[in-house]
Amino acid sequence: MIFPIVAYGAQVLRKIAVDIEPGYPGLSQLIEDMWETMYASNGVGLAAPQINKDIRLFVMDSAQIFENIEEEDKGKYPDEPGIKKVFINAHLLELGGEEWPYNEGCLSIPKIREDILRPEKVVLAYMDENFVSHTETFNGLTARIIQHEYDHIEGKLFIDYLKPLKKKLLKGKLSDISKGKVKVDYKMVFLK
Ligand code: NI
């Protein structure tokens, strides 16, 4: 089932999401639906708050990016050819390395893309879909997407990193998105 994507302006995107227990009702179906929703909207990551669930669950597929990368960018990232992974109960342990800019977007904030600085390395504690615990270090574009999705389960959005002036310039666009005055080719839902 494809979920509608929660648009900017909804409170659920600003909540700190909660851990879930093994046996969370319908979890495997939910994960399957999140993959379906993510691919249907051409996303490379999707976090549960974006489908109106305040739980610490996100999925990401950095291989998607590498499949479509420009010839000149091949071999540029240490995580090529990317990974596809489910993250449950993720908690950030460490950020490291140099900050680097990348032009980010978000399914909940359509038609806005901005260069965002993030550290190159992230260390996460998380569980996989079988509730097996992992502590793992990620880098490259994989670390980039993970940090963006991790922010979602912490109630943060990529536009929060923009300088005040830049954010001011986007105010009208953001307000339009929250009111549903935006055209996208995937299903969205506009909540308070
Ligand atoms: Ni996002």
Side-chain angles (χ1 to χ4, degrees):
M1 187 189 95
I2 295 174
F3 284 99
I5 305 280
V6 173
Y8 173 83
Q11 271 176 29
V12 68
L13 295 178
R14 290 311 194 176
K15 275 186 165 172
I16 295 180
V18 295
D19 282 341
I20 58 171
E21 299 289 330
Y24 182 86
L27 182 63
S28 57
Q29 184 62 49
L30 175 62
I31 291 169
E32 211 174 289
D33 290 343
M34 284 181 69
W35 285 126
E36 199 184 344
T37 302
M38 187 190 91
Y39 290 123
S41 49
N42 286 312
V44 292
L46 183 71
Q50 294 181 279
I51 55 158
N52 200 21
K53 296 188 186 303
D54 62 345
I55 56 173
R56 300 184 84 83
L57 165 63
F58 61 86
V59 298
M60 62 83 60
D61 183 358
S62 54
Q64 285 271 103
I65 299 187
F66 287 112
E67 274 170 31
N68 300 302
I69 207 162
E70 305 274 348
E71 200 59 42
E72 69 200 52
D73 288 334
K74 284 197 175 142
K76 192 172 146 187
Y77 299 100
D79 57 317
E80 202 174 335
I83 57 158
K84 176 178 169 175
K85 231 185 223 306
V86 175
F87 293 83
I88 295 170
N89 298 346
H91 291 275
L92 184 85
L93 298 180
E94 202 186 315
L95 292 169
E98 295 261 309
E99 290 199 334
W100 62 286
Y102 186 78
N103 198 248
E104 289 189 28
C106 179
L107 293 174
S108 295
I109 315 172
K111 310 270 164 97
I112 294 180
R113 298 197 69 96
E114 293 291 342
D115 288 340
I116 303 295
L117 283 173
R118 293 188 192 268
E120 66 188 5
K121 187 184 89 172
V122 59
V123 187
L124 272 194
Y126 69 95
M127 290 166 182
D128 60 28
E129 54 269 64
N130 303 310
F131 277 90
V132 177
S133 293
H134 301 266
T135 297
E136 203 172 341
T137 301
F138 301 94
N139 47 34
L141 287 172
T142 302
R144 165 73 50 173
I145 304 170
I146 286 172
Q147 288 176 66
H148 178 116
E149 300 312 324
Y150 184 82
D151 275 353
H152 275 301
I153 61 169
E154 288 285 304
K156 278 189 235 162
L157 299 168
F158 81 94
I159 51 168
D160 299 347
Y161 296 96
L162 298 175
K163 296 216 165 75
L165 178 65
K166 194 109 208 201
K167 200 147 183 219
K168 213 171 159 187
L169 291 171
L170 288 176
K171 222 179 153 191
K173 274 193 190 173
L174 289 170
S175 160
D176 282 351
I177 291 170
S178 68
K179 291 177 193 146
K181 287 194 266 177
V182 64
K183 260 213 148 121
V184 279
D185 52 12
Y186 49 90
K187 259 195 296 174
M188 293 198 88
V189 60
F190 305 90
L191 308 169
K192 285 281 163 219

